[in-house]
Amino acid sequence: MKTFGLLLSLLLVPAVCSAQQIMYSNLETLVEGRGDTVTILRVAKRAKNQIYLMGGADYRIEAVGNKGLTRYLRRRCYAVRVDTALYVNCRKMRYKKFRLGGWYAPALQVGRNVYYCAQPVGQVAASTATPPDAVKLGGEVGNAIAASGLVNERVYYELDTATGRSGFVGRERMSELLAAYPDLQEAVLRETSESADVMGKYLRALKAREK
């Protein structure tokens, strides 16, 4: 009996240790949690120089040994979950009229709402992350300075699960999200930065309290 129990426990080890990998084809399947389970995905952090030269988000997700599935992941897949980590395909994301590039951004799901961390674009870039010198110089030199500065900058966007559109999560929006928690709401209004590092801690606090 003891031998049977030992063999059973050994058989279960790979199932427990292997990462759960789920691909979502669109926003609806992500929100409803209906995805396709796979076992060959590899998540890799992109280098800063790759982001600077080619743009896009922080993570590359590929299917090991399957070029067709890798193309699907890059061009058509909407989001991927690996264990508790969620990533959204920035090829599918828009902030107003601005594209957020390719590859995958880390995301946080709070209830049915999805928040993802990516480079600032458009008005968000101008108001929160553009180096002052870039505005003064302008032209190609100014654009280069701005681009190099934004490689290291990240902000949070809120994905509207009804329309698929994205909105910037700054102090004002975060204050609205924290309306039920006056202590957190008061704290976020005192913040001087709207970066992902700052807003992210309030999103995680919100997620923890709403469990």
Side-chain angles (χ1 to χ4, degrees), residues 101-121:
W103 302 113
Y104 285 78
L108 183 66
Q109 193 164 4
V110 182
R112 292 176 64 88
N113 297 327
V114 176
Y115 304 89
Y116 62 95
C117 175
Q119 282 190 4
V121 295

Side-chain angles (χ1 to χ4, degrees), residues 187-198:
V188 76
L189 290 174
R190 292 198 300 267
E191 297 287 358
T192 57
S193 171
E194 296 181 310
S195 70
D197 287 341
V198 174

Side-chain angles (χ1 to χ4, degrees), residues 21 39-43 61-67 69-70 73:
Q21 303 176 347
T39 59
I40 58 173
L41 300 187
R42 176 173 58 200
V43 180
I61 302 181
E62 300 172 326
V64 179
N66 190 323
K67 293 182 179 179
L69 186 55
T70 294
L73 285 163

